Amino acid sequence: MTDPAVPPLRAAIIPVTPLQQNCTLLWCTETMRGAFVDPGGDLDRLKAAAREAGVTIEKIIVTHGHIDHCGQAGVLAAELGVPIEGPHEDDLFWIDRLAEDGARYGISGQPFQSDRYLHDGDTVTVGKLNFAIRHCPGHTPGHVVLHHPESKLAIVGDVLFQGSIGRTDFPRGSHQQLLDSITERLWPMGDDTRFIPGHGPMSTFGHERATNPFVADKVLQRA
């Protein structure tokens, strides 16, 4: 019997790599089975965090193909003997160049083969938890976002930040696509939904709709 005082989902943010990317350790409190979302590096720290929390890692989830988010995903998956899910296939060209990008940024990067590419409307399970997947292109063409409606929590990678939005000056980036992803796929999750971004502190969609200088309602109405 589950304890109603214990939330079904817990999440811990572990910044990794010199770019301080927010890797998320999330887990199902009923089964204590979990996943790493965007393990870009610092694998010893990540494994230590899972041990400390008493979490058994059952998979790795990748939001998009940039080096700081998934440069070490393949290495960690091999070490733990777990599958990788995500991103969308449209980010394969980023994954293929991880070693090259790693050398450029001073981060160890290794291309990998995902066990399951994700599409809009898919579901990803972690323990007994179900995460809804939304395809949110713009920052990269294959970027995906995880949403756990019951916990009012989303993991949005580099789509949206507290007070900012993702860069769109990378190959196959699109500013308009990013705006559409945020307003059409994130905002409907609800103003009271908290989100973990790829960098920096958490926020809520409602706060960003009210204050974000790029995507606040009043800003987009003026455009």
Side-chain angles (χ1 to χ4, degrees), residues 42-201:
D42 299 323
L43 301 189
D44 288 342
R45 288 184 57 216
L46 298 183
K47 289 183 287 186
R51 285 195 302 271
E52 185 176 336
V55 173
T56 300
I57 299 298
E58 65 179 15
K59 65 182 61 175
I60 289 166
I61 305 167
V62 174
T63 65
H64 66 292
H66 282 166
I67 180 72
D68 53 327
H69 289 256
C70 66
Q72 291 287 289
V75 175
L76 184 59
E79 288 183 4
L80 299 179
V82 298
I84 299 173
E85 298 191 14
H88 186 283
E89 294 102 326
D90 284 351
D91 267 15
L92 275 171
F93 76 102
W94 280 113
I95 294 170
D96 288 343
R97 55 185 272 182
L98 283 172
E100 173 190 339
D101 286 343
R104 180 178 297 115
Y105 288 100
I107 302 172
S108 178
Q110 181 174 309
F112 62 89
Q113 183 73 37
S114 181
D115 295 277
R116 178 192 178 200
Y117 294 104
L118 298 175
H119 303 93
D120 195 66
D122 282 351
T123 299
V124 167
T125 61
V126 177
K128 292 186 177 182
L129 304 174
N130 293 313
F131 291 86
I133 299 300
R134 300 310 311 261
H135 180 210
C136 293
H139 177 66
T140 68
H143 201 303
V144 296
V145 163
L146 288 75
H147 181 215
H148 190 247
E150 295 81 0
S151 301
K152 297 183 178 179
L153 179 72
I155 301 175
V156 304
D158 287 355
V159 173
L160 180 69
F161 305 106
Q162 184 187 83
S164 189
I165 59 175
R167 289 175 56 180
T168 56
D169 56 340
F170 294 117
R172 294 183 63 190
S174 167
H175 183 72
Q176 188 58 54
Q177 268 194 330
L178 186 67
L179 296 181
D180 292 343
S181 291
I182 292 168
T183 59
E184 297 173 9
R185 297 193 168 172
L186 298 189
W187 291 170
M189 295 178 188
D191 286 353
D192 56 348
T193 295
R194 299 170 301 142
F195 69 90
I196 300 173
H199 304 265

Side-chain angles (χ1 to χ4, degrees), residues 162-163 203 205-219:
Q162 184 187 83
S203 183
F205 293 143
H207 180 76
E208 300 310 308
R209 290 186 71 167
T211 65
N212 191 297
F214 298 94
V215 288
D217 292 348
K218 60 185 178 183
V219 173

Side-chain angles (χ1 to χ4, degrees), residues 1-38:
M1 186 173 177
T2 58
D3 184 347
V6 178
L9 164 66
R10 288 198 185 278
I13 299 171
I14 308 161
V16 297
T17 81
L19 298 177
Q20 290 294 284
Q21 189 276 127
N22 288 336
C23 175
T24 301
L25 167 64
L26 56 83
W27 67 95
C28 166
T29 56
E30 182 178 346
T31 64
M32 294 306 291
R33 297 184 68 82
F36 285 117
V37 182
D38 289 354

